[in-house]
Amino acid sequence: MAETQFYTEKFRVMDCDCDMNHRLTPGAFLRMAQQISTDQCDSIGMNDDFYRENHAVFLLAKLALQVDRMPRGGEVLTLVTMPEQCKRAVFRRVTEARDEQGGRVALLDSRWVLVDTGTRRILRRPPQAFEIGDFKDEVPFTLDVTIRKPDETAPAGRVTATYSRCDTNGHMNNTRYADAAADALPLEVFRTGAVKSLVINYHNELPAGQSASLVRGRTESGGWYVAGQREDGRPCFEAVLAVE
């Protein structure tokens, strides 16, 4: 339903989406945000048939997540999603999560590009069909999506685009990179800490069945840097997590 011109939906924090401290994982929150984005697009006719007819699909390029308080299992969240018209080939979408008292618990700023499904090239000028009235000229809130690399990194395992991590595009779903980044950190980090912020830059898709080698390091600000490189040597993603 609409609220102050934007699309809202309620989500219950399921126990299966929580960590060892019964807190929602960052990846699970991103899946909620992805679902409300899909639902909002479906509500205005931007469904699978629409994308097929226009030979284009949205791919996530960058995101920044700011967590005021990581929700716990059983809580009911109201998500408000706010899509913006295309600017310089980028569609920005901001999603805010509120608790049952109306307080904000998290804010997500995601940057999407439109890709031609035939050529796999970014469409600098989107087709007229994508000039959607429900996408606003401006949306509130902007988060920094910059990645600052540390001077040194060390190997941190591998991630594989397995069956349960892939989506209908045939590659690892964008939310699963948040899982991979968190899993690359020492487990002790999360025994008492929780993610306060997360930035991900997506470089090249990880196709189903393929793997990426991971590295990690500490940033000057005390955050954790995680990056993945595909088997062909091309960078896959970079992420920075702040855990407190």
Side-chain angles (χ1 to χ4, degrees), residues 80-158:
V80 184
T81 193
M82 313 167 226
E84 189 175 84
Q85 293 283 357
C86 181
K87 295 179 180 178
R88 298 179 181 176
V90 175
F91 289 82
R92 199 162 71 90
R93 179 183 287 271
V94 173
T95 302
E96 183 181 28
R98 303 170 185 168
D99 60 22
E100 293 175 87
Q101 290 72 47
R104 190 177 78 187
V105 297
L107 184 68
L108 175 67
D109 183 345
S110 55
R111 317 290 174 88
W112 300 77
V113 294
L114 198 61
V115 175
D116 185 295
T117 54
T119 65
R120 305 303 291 175
R121 292 181 179 177
I122 295 175
L123 296 171
R124 301 295 175 182
R125 294 184 178 179
Q128 186 175 3
F130 284 86
E131 296 177 5
I132 308 297
D134 294 76
F135 285 31
K136 309 306 174 186
D137 291 332
E138 295 283 348
V139 297
F141 313 118
T142 300
L143 298 178
D144 186 3
V145 294
T146 305
I147 295 283
R148 295 175 176 84
K149 301 179 181 180
D151 294 330
E152 298 181 358
T153 59
R158 301 178 66 81

